[in-house]
Amino acid sequence: MKKFYFGTNTKMYMTARETEDFVSELSRLTQDISREKYHLFVIPPFTTIYSACAATLKNSIQIGSQTIAWADEGQFTGEVSPRMVKEVGATLSMIGHSERRHTFHETDEEVNKRVLCALKNDLQALLCIGETLDSKRRKISDEVLAMQIKIGLDGVEAKQLDNVWIAYEPVWAIGVHGQPAEPDYVAERHANIRQVLNSLYGENGNRVPLFYGGSVNPENAVPFALLDEVDGLFIGRSAWNAKRFNQIIRMVIHELTI
Ligand code: PGA
């Protein structure tokens, strides 16, 4: 069985104290789950990374940053560089989350610079992609996703792919006003994403795990997880309570192992 991933981005919700409580509870609740078969990660705000790492029992949960600067240091007020997040324990950086792209107007070219800088510094890069409702309506979702991947990974070499993950999160499915996608729709988009990766990297493209995110909840987590094309779930709101997240994780593991 392939490895399955469970992750959450806590956005701008939890303080350091709250993150510490969340991570330590999640770590404790999921202690018996095989880390060979299942990978857990939490992506909290910058200021909470240090406490999150300290609260993780035996590195059982990987901790990441919600974005990353595209330079190691310099005149970039407000940015945080790979070496800074690594110093406090992060080993992963999420790049191009929908809210970065749409609220902060990050472009594919900027996303690409961040990906390259993260990889150069040996951080796992989680590239987030997703089409808007407008693109979906115009039936250009696959074209938009292909462009986000091709520009986002421009200059990334095949040998770096073990440090690349992709999360497909349709913009219209994310957050409080989001509508979860239909599993069939997700399967089609994921198949297209895989094809794009194969067109860029041949067989090596299969090494990149693909996650689905956007209004994943206890009711729909299993159908998404059971799709062959889905290697992991990337969850927001429904994962911010450790007990609830643990419940989702266990439901999915149960179904995957039947
Ligand atoms: P949501 O968030 O699960 O609350 O829709 C997903 C995300 O933004 O990654």
Side-chain angles (χ1 to χ4, degrees), residues 10 13-25 42-45 48-49 51-53 55 63:
T10 63
Y13 281 104
M14 294 184 202
T15 64
R17 178 76 53 81
E18 289 159 354
T19 303
E20 191 180 327
D21 291 346
F22 170 67
V23 170
S24 69
E25 189 179 3
V42 171
I43 306 187
T48 75
I49 291 174
S51 2
C53 292
I63 304 296

Coordinates of all heavy atoms in Angstrom, one line a residue, residues 10 13-25 42-45 48-49 51-53 55 63:
T10 N -3.2 25.6 9.6 CA -4.0 26.3 10.6 C -4.3 27.8 10.3 O -4.8 28.5 11.1 CB -3.5 26.1 12.0 OG1 -2.2 26.7 12.1 CG2 -3.3 24.6 12.4
Y13 N -5.0 31.4 12.7 CA -6.0 31.2 13.8 C -5.4 30.9 15.1 O -5.8 31.4 16.1 CB -7.0 30.0 13.4 CG -8.0 30.5 12.4 CD1 -8.0 30.2 11.1 CD2 -9.1 31.3 12.9 CE1 -8.9 30.6 10.2 CE2 -10.0 31.7 12.0 CZ -10.0 31.4 10.6 OH -10.9 31.8 9.8
M14 N -4.3 30.1 15.2 CA -3.8 29.6 16.5 C -2.6 30.4 16.9 O -1.7 30.6 16.2 CB -3.5 28.2 16.5 CG -4.7 27.3 16.3 SD -4.2 25.5 16.4 CE -5.5 24.7 15.5
T15 N -2.6 30.8 18.2 CA -1.4 31.4 18.8 C -0.4 30.3 19.1 O -0.7 29.1 18.9 CB -1.7 32.1 20.1 OG1 -2.1 31.0 21.1 CG2 -2.8 33.1 20.0
A16 N 0.8 30.7 19.6 CA 1.8 29.7 19.9 C 1.3 28.7 20.9 O 1.5 27.5 20.8 CB 3.1 30.3 20.3
R17 N 0.7 29.3 22.0 CA 0.2 28.4 23.1 C -0.9 27.4 22.5 O -0.9 26.2 22.8 CB -0.4 29.3 24.2 CG -1.0 28.6 25.3 CD 0.0 28.0 26.3 NE 1.0 29.0 26.7 CZ 0.8 29.9 27.7 NH1 -0.4 30.0 28.4 NH2 1.7 30.8 28.1
E18 N -1.8 28.0 21.7 CA -2.9 27.1 21.2 C -2.3 26.1 20.2 O -2.8 24.9 20.2 CB -3.9 28.0 20.4 CG -4.7 28.8 21.4 CD -5.4 30.1 20.7 OE1 -5.1 30.3 19.6 OE2 -6.1 30.8 21.5
T19 N -1.3 26.4 19.4 CA -0.7 25.5 18.5 C 0.0 24.4 19.3 O -0.1 23.2 19.0 CB 0.3 26.2 17.6 OG1 -0.3 27.2 16.9 CG2 0.9 25.2 16.6
E20 N 0.7 24.8 20.4 CA 1.4 23.8 21.2 C 0.4 22.7 21.7 O 0.6 21.5 21.7 CB 2.0 24.5 22.4 CG 3.0 23.7 23.1 CD 3.6 24.5 24.3 OE1 3.8 25.8 24.1 OE2 3.9 24.0 25.3
D21 N -0.8 23.2 22.3 CA -1.8 22.3 22.8 C -2.3 21.4 21.7 O -2.5 20.2 21.9 CB -3.0 23.1 23.4 CG -2.6 23.9 24.7 OD1 -1.5 23.5 25.2 OD2 -3.3 24.8 25.1
F22 N -2.6 22.0 20.5 CA -3.2 21.3 19.4 C -2.2 20.2 19.0 O -2.6 19.0 18.9 CB -3.5 22.2 18.3 CG -3.8 21.5 17.0 CD1 -5.0 20.8 16.9 CD2 -3.0 21.6 15.9 CE1 -5.3 20.2 15.7 CE2 -3.3 21.0 14.7 CZ -4.5 20.3 14.6
V23 N -0.9 20.5 18.8 CA 0.0 19.6 18.2 C 0.3 18.5 19.3 O 0.4 17.3 18.9 CB 1.3 20.3 17.8 CG1 2.4 19.3 17.5 CG2 1.1 21.1 16.6
S24 N 0.4 18.9 20.6 CA 0.7 17.8 21.5 C -0.4 16.9 21.7 O -0.2 15.7 21.8 CB 1.2 18.4 22.9 OG 0.2 19.0 23.5
E25 N -1.7 17.4 21.6 CA -2.8 16.5 21.7 C -2.9 15.5 20.5 O -3.1 14.3 20.6 CB -4.1 17.3 21.8 CG -5.3 16.4 22.2 CD -6.6 17.1 22.3 OE1 -6.7 18.3 22.1 OE2 -7.6 16.4 22.6
V42 N 1.6 19.4 10.1 CA 0.8 20.6 10.5 C 1.6 21.8 10.1 O 2.8 21.9 10.2 CB 0.7 20.6 12.1 CG1 0.1 21.9 12.5 CG2 -0.2 19.4 12.5
I43 N 0.8 22.8 9.5 CA 1.4 24.0 9.0 C 0.8 25.2 9.7 O -0.2 25.7 9.4 CB 1.2 24.1 7.5 CG1 1.8 22.8 6.8 CG2 2.0 25.3 6.9 CD1 1.8 22.8 5.3
P44 N 1.5 25.6 10.8 CA 1.0 26.7 11.6 C 1.6 28.1 11.3 O 2.6 28.1 10.5 CB 1.3 26.3 13.0 CG 2.7 25.6 12.8 CD 2.7 25.0 11.4
P45 N 1.2 29.2 11.9 CA 1.8 30.5 11.6 C 3.3 30.5 12.1 O 3.7 29.7 12.9 CB 1.0 31.4 12.5 CG -0.3 30.8 12.7 CD 0.0 29.3 12.7
T48 N 4.6 30.3 15.7 CA 4.2 29.1 16.5 C 5.1 27.9 16.1 O 4.9 26.8 16.8 CB 2.7 28.8 16.3 OG1 2.6 28.1 15.0 CG2 1.9 30.0 16.3
I49 N 5.9 28.0 15.1 CA 6.7 26.8 14.6 C 7.5 26.2 15.7 O 7.5 25.0 15.9 CB 7.5 27.2 13.4 CG1 6.6 27.5 12.2 CG2 8.5 26.1 13.0 CD1 7.3 28.0 11.0
S51 N 7.3 26.3 19.1 CA 6.5 25.6 20.1 C 5.9 24.3 19.5 O 5.8 23.3 20.2 CB 5.4 26.4 20.8 OG 5.4 27.7 20.3
A52 N 5.5 24.4 18.2 CA 4.8 23.2 17.6 C 5.9 22.1 17.5 O 5.5 20.9 17.8 CB 4.3 23.6 16.2
C53 N 7.1 22.4 17.1 CA 8.1 21.4 17.0 C 8.4 20.8 18.4 O 8.5 19.6 18.5 CB 9.4 21.9 16.4 SG 9.2 22.4 14.7
A55 N 6.4 20.5 20.8 CA 5.3 19.8 21.3 C 5.1 18.4 20.6 O 4.2 17.6 21.0 CB 4.0 20.6 21.2
I63 N 6.4 19.6 10.8 CA 5.9 21.0 11.0 C 6.5 21.8 9.8 O 7.6 21.7 9.5 CB 6.4 21.6 12.3 CG1 5.9 20.7 13.5 CG2 5.9 23.0 12.5 CD1 4.4 20.6 13.7

